[in-house]
Amino acid sequence: MRQRHFFILVSIVMISGLSQGLLLPLISIIFEQNGVHSSLSGIHATAMYIGVLVVSPFLERPLRRYGFKRLIMTGGAIVIVSLTIFPISSSLLFWFMLRLFIGIGDHILHFGSQTWITYASPTHRRGRNISLYGLSFGVGFMIGPLLVPLVHIHEALPFIVSSLLSLCGWILLFFLPHTYPETEEAEKVGATRFFHAWKQAWPALLLPFGYGFLEASLHSMFPIYALRNELSVETVAMMLPAFALGGIAFQLPLGTLSDRFSRKTMIIISLAVGAFCFAIATWFSSPVQLTTTFFVAGMFVGSLFSLGMAYMADLLPTSLLPVGNILCGMLYSIGSICGPAIGGIVLQQQEGLFFFSMSSLLLLLLFAQRPFTKFSKYFSKKQEKNVDAF
């Protein structure tokens, strides 16, 4: 029964990843073909992540009052309705608002599901379970760009297919039980709980920021970079999933290794390899070279979000896990806003520095982990094993 519940959660997350993986390159390509400026396209892509920032501060209380299931179903419903009405108009403002609502709905869904999983996972299996969560999202995100060529049949077709798949996943949520998080300890900490969560887990919380930056920049701005270098839409649609595929290939192994060995060590190795891959991508131009580089980079930095969540859960007491997940979502959103915006500006001003901006960010995150090494044990708190673990 518990395994079935876990399967439902990762299935809905996979479909959510598919929708995001589809929308980012699809809308960027539509805008580029319609002559929309790359910087404007990059700013437009931030709407989804602005939605995450808008809704994040208001999620903790509804979660404690209504429980995981109702919160996840609310987020899924918002996403389905937004995807369905995309074909009504092609106005930039209208699509911006829809992307905003999709960001709100997706984050509600992810916040509920990832907090549920971190609550129900014992320490010795946390990396594995959260990596499966990230794996399911990565599979969906990889499949998403493969649906982009449907736009050649009809511009509305990719949106319709995505909304129907989301509806199928949403129906599965009715089979989940009603479960609620702990409330007493969080209420004792009070309004300072966000400060306490950041103070204890800031190195882990920086990783979702980095992942959001890379993911959004690569999927929103690389299609423009590729089209300007005379690559076809079909070629771009085949190249983009390589990053997600690399993350899928190593998501579970890295999560399992982080359970067995130091989670910090796996994070540092992942950041170093990812920075190297994007640095050398600057000198590559052929689809084969870039696709290979994306795959290898994805093998390591494609797990940054799940590794960051597992690391965050190690450092925080159970009562602060909802707050930690909120901060993960907010920082992921900020990174996802900065990625397309900075990527669009870089493409406009100096196209050759596109991959260098990604490599530089990973190096900064790598340096940010090192000062924390000797203090990690001080801040770490022993986590209780949940008897109802997945």
Side-chain angles (χ1 to χ4, degrees), residues 34-197:
N34 291 338
V36 177
H37 207 282
S38 64
S39 58
L40 179 58
S41 178
I43 294 173
H44 198 280
T46 65
M48 186 181 299
Y49 309 105
I50 292 174
V52 175
L53 285 178
V54 168
V55 75
S56 289
F58 307 102
L59 291 181
E60 188 183 6
R61 289 186 180 277
L63 175 63
R64 299 189 187 280
R65 182 173 181 180
Y66 301 109
F68 295 108
K69 177 180 176 178
R70 292 189 181 95
L71 197 70
I72 295 172
M73 293 191 74
T74 300
I78 294 173
V79 171
I80 293 169
V81 172
S82 300
L83 287 171
T84 302
I85 61 178
F86 253 102
I88 293 178
S89 171
S90 58
S91 164
L92 289 179
L93 179 60
F94 183 70
W95 278 18
F96 184 89
M97 294 305 299
L98 289 181
R99 292 175 95 168
L100 184 76
F101 280 110
I102 287 177
I104 291 174
D106 263 331
H107 186 55
I108 293 174
L109 185 152
H110 283 287
F111 170 71
S113 58
Q114 71 192 29
T115 306
W116 199 348
I117 291 172
T118 52
Y119 257 95
S121 298
T123 305
H124 67 282
R125 294 176 60 186
R126 181 174 291 136
R128 169 189 171 276
N129 286 352
I130 296 178
S131 66
L132 286 173
Y133 167 89
L135 177 65
S136 63
F137 182 83
V139 170
F141 209 87
M142 179 192 69
I143 297 173
L146 298 178
L147 301 180
V148 171
L150 293 176
V151 73
H152 293 315
I153 301 175
H154 195 282
E155 188 172 286
L157 187 57
F159 300 108
I160 295 172
V161 171
S162 181
S163 62
L164 290 175
L165 290 173
S166 298
L167 179 61
C168 293
W170 188 77
I171 293 173
L172 293 176
L173 295 174
F174 284 96
F175 296 97
L176 292 175
H178 289 288
T179 309
Y180 298 82
E182 297 178 8
T183 59
E184 293 182 2
E185 291 298 323
E187 290 174 355
K188 290 180 182 179
V189 178
T192 61
R193 58 191 181 277
F194 283 91
F195 171 76
H196 283 290

Side-chain angles (χ1 to χ4, degrees), residues 357-376:
S357 64
M358 300 181 186
S359 180
S360 299
L361 172 70
L362 290 174
L363 285 175
L364 290 175
L365 293 177
L366 175 62
F367 295 143
Q369 301 299 315
R370 293 185 180 277
F372 192 72
T373 302
K374 54 185 175 183
F375 299 114
S376 60

Side-chain angles (χ1 to χ4, degrees), residues 130-308:
I130 296 178
S131 66
L132 286 173
Y133 167 89
L135 177 65
S136 63
F137 182 83
V139 170
F141 209 87
M142 179 192 69
I143 297 173
L146 298 178
L147 301 180
V148 171
L150 293 176
V151 73
H152 293 315
I153 301 175
H154 195 282
E155 188 172 286
L157 187 57
F159 300 108
I160 295 172
V161 171
S162 181
S163 62
L164 290 175
L165 290 173
S166 298
L167 179 61
C168 293
W170 188 77
I171 293 173
L172 293 176
L173 295 174
F174 284 96
F175 296 97
L176 292 175
H178 289 288
T179 309
Y180 298 82
E182 297 178 8
T183 59
E184 293 182 2
E185 291 298 323
E187 290 174 355
K188 290 180 182 179
V189 178
T192 61
R193 58 191 181 277
F194 283 91
F195 171 76
H196 283 290
W198 172 258
K199 181 180 178 181
Q200 296 180 45
W202 65 268
L205 295 171
L206 288 176
L207 300 178
F209 169 85
Y211 180 77
F213 185 101
L214 292 176
E215 179 189 70
S217 181
L218 194 61
H219 284 77
S220 295
M221 293 295 103
F222 177 72
I224 297 175
Y225 175 89
L227 291 175
R228 290 182 178 180
N229 285 272
E230 300 181 350
L231 296 176
S232 66
V233 172
E234 288 75 16
T235 301
V236 174
M238 294 301 295
M239 292 173 65
L240 279 180
F243 180 79
L245 184 60
I248 291 169
F250 259 49
Q251 189 89 223
L252 186 56
L254 284 179
T256 304
L257 287 172
S258 73
D259 283 334
R260 185 172 182 180
F261 304 104
S262 169
R263 224 178 295 277
K264 181 190 301 297
T265 301
M266 302 311 301
I267 289 171
I268 290 175
I269 292 174
S270 298
L271 290 170
V273 175
F276 174 76
C277 287
F278 284 115
I280 63 174
T282 304
W283 291 278
F284 292 158
S285 58
S286 75
V288 175
Q289 291 174 325
L290 288 173
T291 301
T292 303
T293 304
F294 289 169
F295 179 79
V296 176
M299 287 170 62
F300 292 91
V301 297
S303 301
L304 283 184
F305 189 90
S306 58
L307 285 175

Side-chain angles (χ1 to χ4, degrees), residues 6-18:
F6 185 77
F7 172 77
I8 292 173
L9 285 176
V10 298
S11 295
I12 190 68
V13 167
M14 182 186 299
I15 296 173
S16 173
L18 184 148

